[in-house]
């Protein structure tokens, strides 16, 4: 019996295990599938996703949202072609396992029971029924490729034990991947945390702590400096072009030429959604998504009236002043924003505009107030809570792997999936979709490689 070893029992690893065991059964292959997990149980990371609800996929998956989009697009297409009846292959996989789900805003898919444990339960049940063996408390530290054709991989563990396998699927990312020694032919980009809160410098005023507001967010920075530092790539450049087009459109630049940004710099990314102010900086799903492109030294511009184009702001404020004067007889600067923003945000906007709350609001104050409403700046100082970020950017370079199988081009029989590869996406179920999709592809291909002498 040949052994197929999966290093990592998270989302991608469990999907690979189930797919491999079922593929082996369908093909009549004599293979044992073993999941080596350093924790005391598999799937613990799944339970923490989506605040315990597990946004396990999205009804509108778009490869263009991912880092290394071309690789992801080819992989998703390959998986779709394997799905004989058409449709979403990941959803078909979970439907066969018995999972029931519902669609919420922006296409987010959640288990019908509203608990992440539902997703883990169907995966573990399918794995057990298919004969997958779980080996928990086993931390792999090194994988040695076979020394000759037809040989076995040697997997070395922290406790000194060694396991041998005909094929290996690497399903760990972040720090776990960084501490796993792999064959030298596989280049690894040091993982860095993304999809998390951002630290501001200085920290926000104390009275803003806990404030939530729906708004537009613009990430601004020095894109040329990012490129010189190796912190920019094709995906970041594509997002910057999209954001810059939106910025120019808002400023009435019909010819597409870039519009000036308050404080200088170039627009790098744009999001709409809820912003939450924390003692250390800013948080919220929109901020998480921007963290994929943010670097220390960048600025976050907060637009409190994103549905109001820049060229109309002044006129709206003039009209508001006139209406308040007619209704009340007098209006101060604080009164101009009362009923629009929460008091702590009113104070922050007025401070940025250089206006005292009790000062009578004059026509001459309109441009300053409008600019502060549309672009309240926060200076960024990097990711605030790395340990709480949802994914790690970096990992094994996709150029070294076959997008149809997740197999390493120069190390036959070795596969990488999920966060082990340099692939990430915004919030919304996209990262888990990639974990399942890449895991299913690799699990099936690994069985074929073992059965066919590592010719996937």
């Amino acid at each position: 019996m040949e052994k197929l070893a999966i290093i990592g029992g998270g989302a991608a690893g469990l999907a690979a295990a189930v797919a491999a065991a079922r593929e082996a059964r369908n093909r009549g292959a004599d293979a044992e599938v073993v999941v080596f997990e350093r924790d005391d149980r598999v799937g613990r990371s799944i339970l923490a996703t989506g605040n315990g609800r597990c946004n396990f996929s999205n009804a509108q998956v778009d490869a263009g949202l991912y880092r290394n989009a071309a690789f992801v697009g080819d992989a998703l297409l390959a998986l779709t072609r394997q799905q004989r009846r058409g449709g979403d292959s990941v959803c078909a996989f979970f439907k066969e396992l018995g999972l029931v789900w519902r669609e919420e805003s922006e296409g987010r898919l959640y288990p019908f029971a509203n608990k992440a444990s539902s997703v883990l339960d169907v995966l573990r049940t399918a794995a057990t029924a298919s004969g997958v063996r779980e080996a928990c408390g086993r931390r792999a530290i090194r994988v040695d490729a076979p020394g000759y054709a037809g040989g076995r991989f040697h997997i070395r563990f922290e406790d000194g034990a060694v396991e041998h396998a005909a094929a290996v699927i690497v399903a760990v990312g972040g720090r776990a991947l960084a501490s796993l020694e792999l064959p030298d032919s596989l280049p690894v980009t040091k993982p860095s945390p993304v999809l998390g809160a951002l630290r501001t410098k200085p920290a926000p005023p104390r009275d803003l702590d806990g404030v939530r507001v729906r708004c537009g967010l613009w990430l601004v920075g020095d894109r040329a400096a990012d490129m010189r530092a190796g912190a920019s790539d094709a995906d970041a450049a594509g997002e910057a072009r999209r954001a810059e087009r939106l910025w120019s459109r808002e400023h009435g630049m019909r010819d597409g030429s870039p519009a000036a940004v308050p404080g200088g710099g170039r627009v790098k990314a744009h999001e709409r959604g809820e912003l939450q102010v924390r003692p250390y900086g800013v948080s919220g799903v929109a901020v998480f998504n921007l963290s994929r492109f943010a670097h220390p030294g960048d600025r976050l511009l907060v637009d409190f009236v994103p549905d109001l184009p820049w060229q109309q702001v002044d006129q709206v404020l003039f009209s508001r002043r006139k209406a308040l004067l007619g209704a009340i007889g007098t209006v101060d600067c604080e009164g101009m924003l009362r009923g629009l923003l929460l008091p702590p945000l009113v104070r922050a906007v007025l401070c940025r505009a250089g206006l005292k709350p009790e000062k009578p609001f004059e026509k001459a104050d309109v441009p300053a107030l409008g600019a502060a409403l549309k672009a309240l700046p926060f200076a960024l100082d990097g990711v605030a809570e790395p340990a709480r970020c949802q994914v790690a950017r970096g990992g094994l370079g996709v150029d070294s792997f076959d997008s149809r199988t997740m197999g390493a081009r120069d190390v036959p029989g070795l596969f990488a999936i999920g966060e082990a590869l340099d692939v990430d996406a915004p919030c919304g179920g996209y990262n888990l979709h990639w974990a399942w999709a890449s895991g299913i592809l690799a699990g099936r291909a690994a069985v074929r490689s073992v059965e066919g002498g590592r010719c996937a």
Side-chain angles (χ1 to χ4, degrees):
M1 178 181 289
E2 296 285 13
K3 180 183 294 182
L4 193 163
I6 299 172
I7 301 175
L14 288 176
V18 172
R22 297 174 80 182
E23 183 77 3
R25 181 188 62 198
N26 293 340
R27 300 174 75 92
D30 190 17
E32 178 190 26
V33 179
V34 185
V35 178
F36 294 101
E37 167 59 44
R38 68 176 182 174
D39 210 340
D40 59 358
R41 62 172 296 179
V42 299
R44 191 180 295 277
S45 59
I46 296 174
L47 297 177
T49 59
N51 292 320
R53 297 176 61 215
C54 191
N55 174 197
F56 76 95
S57 184
N58 195 289
Q60 302 161 14
V61 172
D62 177 2
L65 296 173
Y66 289 83
R67 178 176 171 85
N68 288 312
F71 180 86
V72 173
D74 289 345
L76 296 182
L77 179 60
L79 186 58
T80 298
R81 287 173 173 168
Q82 291 181 13
Q83 180 66 25
R84 297 184 183 89
R85 293 179 295 277
D88 187 300
S89 300
V90 167
C91 287
F93 173 78
F94 276 105
K95 185 176 181 179
E96 290 178 1
L97 301 189
L99 185 68
V100 180
W101 60 85
R102 61 166 165 256
E103 181 177 337
E104 297 189 7
S105 62
E106 299 179 320
R108 292 178 171 89
L109 302 182
Y110 289 90
F112 189 78
N114 216 30
K115 288 290 185 181
S117 57
S118 298
V119 179
L120 180 56
D121 286 347
V122 298
L123 285 167
R124 292 195 71 194
T125 298
T128 300
S130 302
V132 174
R133 180 163 65 89
E134 297 176 2
C136 296
R138 305 289 305 278
R139 178 174 174 264
I141 60 173
R142 178 174 162 183
V143 176
D144 293 324
Y148 55 91
R152 300 292 174 265
F153 286 89
H154 303 282
I155 308 171
R156 304 183 185 277
F157 292 85
E158 192 174 38
D159 60 4
V162 179
E163 296 275 356
H164 307 284
V168 174
I169 299 177
V170 178
V172 293
R175 288 178 295 178
L177 178 65
S179 64
L180 178 64
E181 188 176 346
L182 295 171
D184 292 339
S185 60
L186 299 174
V188 180
T189 299
K190 183 180 178 181
S192 59
V194 295
L195 287 193
L198 292 171
R199 187 176 303 281
T200 62
K201 188 176 182 180
R206 288 186 178 182
D207 63 346
L208 287 179
D209 183 21
V211 168
R212 296 172 182 262
V213 60
R214 296 197 65 81
C215 57
L217 298 173
W218 300 92
L219 182 67
V220 175
D222 186 340
R223 283 158 43 194
D226 289 347
M227 294 181 67
R228 289 193 297 271
S232 183
D233 52 31
D235 304 289
E239 172 61 23
R241 287 192 295 271
R242 182 188 74 88
E244 200 161 67
R245 285 195 298 270
L246 288 173
W247 178 270
S248 295
R249 191 180 309 153
E250 281 223 357
H251 286 74
M253 309 295 287
R254 293 188 176 88
D255 62 354
S257 60
V261 177
R266 300 287 293 275
V267 174
K268 296 172 60 176
H270 172 64
E271 286 285 335
R272 274 199 188 197
E274 185 179 82
L275 171 77
Q276 181 179 5
V277 185
R278 304 298 302 276
Y280 51 75
V282 289
S283 185
V285 171
V287 172
F288 290 0
N289 289 340
L290 291 179
S291 73
R292 300 176 63 227
F293 308 103
H295 300 103
D298 288 346
R299 289 178 298 125
L300 186 68
L301 302 183
V302 182
D303 181 355
F304 293 106
V305 284
D307 293 324
L308 186 62
W310 275 79
Q311 56 268 33
Q312 296 179 20
V313 173
D314 286 4
Q315 185 56 52
V316 168
L317 290 176
F318 280 126
S319 298
R320 180 174 174 82
R321 177 180 179 273
K322 182 178 180 180
L324 288 172
L325 284 173
I328 304 173
T330 182
V331 59
D332 57 20
C333 293
E334 185 176 23
M336 280 292 293
L337 299 181
R338 188 179 296 117
L340 174 65
L341 300 177
L342 294 173
L345 291 175
V346 169
R347 290 190 287 272
V349 170
L350 291 179
C351 180
R352 176 63 185 176
L355 301 173
K356 294 184 180 297
E358 67 280 3
K359 172 188 175 298
F361 188 77
E362 307 291 345
K363 289 183 178 180
D365 299 326
V366 164
L369 183 61
L373 273 173
K374 292 293 289 182
L376 184 71
F378 288 88
L380 301 178
D381 195 32
V383 172
E385 299 177 299
R388 300 186 65 178
C389 286
Q390 295 183 20
V391 298
R393 164 163 289 188
L396 295 162
V398 297
D399 290 344
S400 300
F401 291 83
D402 187 331
S403 60
R404 299 165 300 174
T405 64
M406 303 295 113
R409 299 184 186 279
D410 297 332
V411 188
L414 182 68
F415 302 80
I417 57 178
E419 279 192 64
L421 292 168
D422 189 9
V423 172
D424 63 79
C427 299
Y430 303 105
N431 289 292
L432 275 178
H433 187 95
W434 170 248
W436 315 127
S438 58
I440 295 167
L441 281 172
R444 293 170 178 170
V447 171
R448 297 197 302 270
S449 76
V450 169
E451 187 182 46
R454 299 199 184 90
C455 296

